[in-house]
Amino acid sequence: MSFLALLDFSSVLVFALTGALVASRAQLDLVGFAFIACLTAVGGGTVRDVLLGRDPVFWVGQPAYVLICVAAAIFVFFTAHLVESRYRWLLWLDCFALSIAVAAGTGVALSFGQPGVIVVLMGVATGCLGGLMRDVVVGEIPLVLKQGELYATAALAGSGAAMIALSVGIPTRPALLIAAATCGILRAGSLIFGWSLPVYKSRPPKV
Amino acid sequence: MSFLALLDFSSVLVFALTGALVASRAQLDLVGFAFIACLTAVGGGTVRDVLLGRDPVFWVGQPAYVLICVAAAIFVFFTAHLVESRYRWLLWLDCFALSIAVAAGTGVALSFGQPGVIVVLMGVATGCLGGLMRDVVVGEIPLVLKQGELYATAALAGSGAAMIALSVGIPTRPALLIAAATCGILRAGSLIFGWSLPVYKSRPPKV
Amino acid sequence: MSFLALLDFSSVLVFALTGALVASRAQLDLVGFAFIACLTAVGGGTVRDVLLGRDPVFWVGQPAYVLICVAAAIFVFFTAHLVESRYRWLLWLDCFALSIAVAAGTGVALSFGQPGVIVVLMGVATGCLGGLMRDVVVGEIPLVLKQGELYATAALAGSGAAMIALSVGIPTRPALLIAAATCGILRAGSLIFGWSLPVYKSRPPKV
């Protein structure tokens, strides 16, 4: 299995777990779990592949991706009641999946010889869109829109870090690992320490 | 007209009626009816065709599909006030459209020589995604997420039944009819008799 | 730059401003502004290009579109507090972007030699879908679903007007300007004077 496929597999697996956790919060049945798991797990990469004209889309050419989603859904269906805070698990698994998916999206766009702006954007899109679809479909506020948290910013920093690493001569694989690490550290720092960028305020505080 | 085109036409027509009914509940004007009718009716099949790399997408190559949606929207605009419970009509038309769309999606994926997992998934996607877009756009809880109802499950059983039928030597057309019947019976049983799969409960009842 | 690219650029710029304004109402950070700006600005045209099988999608082949979105996001982030009613600005910029995007979508579909029905639909889709994604993602009622306002209707009238203009021998460029003007006038009339089509009423008033 290629390094890029490994990244895609990992992000699909972990995003599928987050999708199934969201399904557990919506009290769906087992097939509903699998449905949301698939949507979340392959959503971002599917948009990326369609935009890049990749034919076939990664999971259509390799159905094992779908089986992984189903396995993740079954696993969560029978074990989610064992964990204390499903929402905390959701946040942290999503953080992990986001980081890997950003690296995967960046890597696929690089392998298509896209210019830097598009590579960075595909990293962000692959990372953010699956979770966005998950949250929009179940009617929750998308994580990417949570005020005062780094999410799209972490994704952007991750794929941006890969571009910088490549430009100073670091090879592709370590550059993609740097992307995942950068994204993961920023997002984790946001969850633990409340790291954030200044948000827009309609009336700026008087100084 | 081919058998597959006939399935697509039927599901488009009936999904368009459901889209127009949803538009009537949102009190839109005639063009709004047509907009939601088109989105609902061609949404699932469009995703299927884009994922399979079908070029052109079914309704782009055959604009009559769009005219059918418009006709359905006009029909509902002028007659919806005549029926007593628009929501009941919506549920039953959606059940019918779901069943046919599952068969259509399964059939198209088969004709592309896709492996079984992808065929089943395309059946589910074609059936569920149009209605999902309709419900997300108007801000209603998607039917596919309704607790304790068979929806994605009915779709999955339908396309799965077609695969089983094919594997025991039944030809494609009757296999697709079996898909539609299986899906329709399960969904109808869920609406009438409350058939359902066990849903996830965070704290399983003590026995 | 071709005339069609100019239309796409203008609609991308103005839609990006609307996306950033919506982001300001959701109090996101700068990257969140850019994320929503990009989604809004390229959403409609991306769907159009994928449906028409245009490869690459317009902004993938020309990353300057994305940079424009980012610039628009930065501009709004630092200036939005200066305007009195951000919602009024949002409505009017959206009106402007809608009109140009309808013309752009119509023009691209024409250049692909599509039949009239598809051309009209691509105009409507290019105009309406970016704003629809923006509104669905942030959880606001989509402008296209606002009761008693011309929105999809204005878009349809615009692309329809282009088809009529072409059929009476007017060349493409003026026909597309007619499309933008028709759409813009109807939408503006709806915002200022309350122009509307009759909406569906479940119980029509007794006369």
Side-chain angles (χ1 to χ4, degrees):
Chain A
M1 180 162 43
S2 78
F3 182 67
L4 281 180
L6 187 70
L7 286 178
D8 260 343
F9 261 108
S10 316
S11 85
V12 160
L13 172 61
V14 187
F15 263 135
L17 293 172
T18 72
L21 277 173
V22 167
S24 82
R25 290 160 53 90
Q27 304 210 308
L28 301 181
D29 62 25
L30 188 50
V31 180
F33 271 59
F35 186 85
I36 306 288
C38 286
L39 185 77
T40 309
V42 305
T46 301
V47 172
R48 173 199 65 201
D49 286 0
V50 167
L51 290 177
L52 292 176
R54 195 188 199 184
D55 189 25
V57 169
F58 73 107
W59 55 272
V60 175
Q62 180 69 274
Y65 285 109
V66 177
L67 300 179
I68 284 183
C69 294
V70 172
I74 295 174
F75 176 75
V76 171
F77 189 80
F78 288 110
T79 63
H81 65 281
L82 299 176
V83 306
E84 207 148 303
S85 168
R86 276 176 287 150
Y87 190 64
R88 279 207 85 67
W89 275 92
L90 172 58
L91 282 179
W92 281 100
L93 289 171
D94 185 88
C95 164
F96 189 71
L98 173 72
S99 309
I100 303 186
V102 164
T106 305
V108 170
L110 279 172
S111 77
F112 271 72
Q114 293 291 335
V117 175
I118 300 299
V119 170
V120 169
L121 219 73
M122 288 297 159
V124 175
T126 309
C128 297
L129 293 186
L132 183 61
M133 291 182 198
R134 174 195 65 205
D135 297 338
V136 165
V137 162
V138 301
E140 299 207 10
I141 296 175
L143 288 180
V144 71
L145 293 184
K146 278 270 175 69
Q147 257 181 268
E149 285 190 15
L150 300 179
Y151 196 95
T153 306
L156 180 68
S159 51
M163 295 312 290
I164 294 171
L166 287 166
S167 74
V168 299
I170 295 176
T172 306
R173 287 190 190 190
L176 294 180
L177 294 177
I178 288 172
T182 306
C183 175
I185 288 170
L186 285 176
R187 176 75 184 133
S190 178
L191 288 174
I192 302 177
F193 305 113
W195 294 352
S196 67
L197 286 186
V199 301
Y200 176 83
K201 298 248 186 271
S202 51
R203 284 160 201 280
K206 303 254 168 55
V207 214
Chain B
M1 182 163 43
S2 78
F3 183 66
L4 282 180
L6 187 69
L7 287 177
D8 260 342
F9 262 106
S10 316
S11 84
V12 160
L13 172 61
V14 187
F15 263 134
L17 293 172
T18 72
L21 277 173
V22 167
S24 82
R25 289 161 53 90
Q27 304 210 307
L28 301 181
D29 62 26
L30 188 50
V31 180
F33 272 59
F35 186 85
I36 305 287
C38 286
L39 185 77
T40 309
V42 305
T46 301
V47 172
R48 173 198 66 199
D49 285 1
V50 168
L51 290 177
L52 292 177
R54 195 189 200 184
D55 189 22
V57 169
F58 73 109
W59 57 272
V60 175
Q62 181 70 275
Y65 285 109
V66 177
L67 300 179
I68 284 184
C69 294
V70 173
I74 295 173
F75 176 75
V76 171
F77 189 81
F78 288 109
T79 62
H81 65 281
L82 299 176
V83 306
E84 207 148 304
S85 168
R86 276 176 289 152
Y87 190 64
R88 280 206 84 67
W89 274 92
L90 172 58
L91 282 179
W92 282 101
L93 288 171
D94 184 88
C95 164
F96 189 71
L98 173 72
S99 310
I100 303 186
V102 164
T106 305
V108 170
L110 279 172
S111 76
F112 271 72
Q114 293 290 334
V117 175
I118 300 299
V119 170
V120 169
L121 219 73
M122 290 296 160
V124 175
T126 309
C128 296
L129 293 185
L132 183 61
M133 291 181 197
R134 173 196 65 205
D135 296 339
V136 165
V137 162
V138 300
E140 300 207 9
I141 295 175
L143 287 180
V144 70
L145 294 184
K146 279 271 175 70
Q147 258 180 267
E149 285 191 14
L150 299 179
Y151 196 95
T153 306
L156 180 68
S159 50
M163 294 311 291
I164 294 171
L166 288 166
S167 73
V168 299
I170 296 177
T172 305
R173 285 188 191 193
L176 294 180
L177 295 177
I178 289 173
T182 306
C183 175
I185 289 170
L186 285 176
R187 176 77 185 134
S190 178
L191 288 174
I192 301 177
F193 305 114
W195 294 354
S196 67
L197 285 187
V199 300
Y200 175 83
K201 296 248 187 271
S202 52
R203 286 158 199 280
K206 304 255 168 55
V207 216
Chain C
M1 183 163 40
S2 78
F3 182 67
L4 281 180
L6 187 69
L7 287 178
D8 260 343
F9 262 106
S10 316
S11 85
V12 161
L13 173 61
V14 188
F15 263 135
L17 294 172
T18 72
L21 277 173
V22 167
S24 82
R25 288 161 53 90
Q27 303 209 308
L28 300 182
D29 61 26
L30 187 51
V31 180
F33 271 59
F35 186 86
I36 306 289
C38 286
L39 185 78
T40 310
V42 305
T46 301
V47 172
R48 172 200 65 199
D49 285 1
V50 167
L51 291 177
L52 292 176
R54 194 189 199 184
D55 189 23
V57 169
F58 74 108
W59 55 272
V60 175
Q62 180 69 277
Y65 285 111
V66 177
L67 300 178
I68 285 183
C69 294
V70 173
I74 294 173
F75 176 76
V76 171
F77 188 81
F78 289 109
T79 62
H81 65 282
L82 300 175
V83 307
E84 208 149 304
S85 168
R86 276 176 289 151
Y87 191 65
R88 279 207 85 66
W89 274 92
L90 172 58
L91 283 178
W92 281 101
L93 288 170
D94 185 88
C95 164
F96 189 70
L98 173 73
S99 310
I100 303 187
V102 164
T106 306
V108 170
L110 279 172
S111 75
F112 272 71
Q114 293 291 335
V117 175
I118 300 298
V119 170
V120 169
L121 220 72
M122 289 296 158
V124 175
T126 308
C128 296
L129 293 186
L132 183 61
M133 291 182 198
R134 175 195 64 206
D135 297 338
V136 164
V137 163
V138 301
E140 299 207 10
I141 296 174
L143 287 179
V144 69
L145 294 183
K146 280 269 176 70
Q147 258 180 265
E149 285 190 15
L150 299 180
Y151 196 95
T153 307
L156 180 68
S159 51
M163 295 312 291
I164 294 170
L166 288 166
S167 74
V168 299
I170 296 177
T172 305
R173 285 188 192 193
L176 294 180
L177 294 178
I178 289 172
T182 306
C183 175
I185 289 170
L186 285 175
R187 176 75 185 135
S190 178
L191 288 174
I192 302 177
F193 305 113
W195 293 353
S196 67
L197 285 187
V199 301
Y200 175 83
K201 296 247 187 271
S202 50
R203 285 157 200 282
K206 305 253 168 55
V207 215

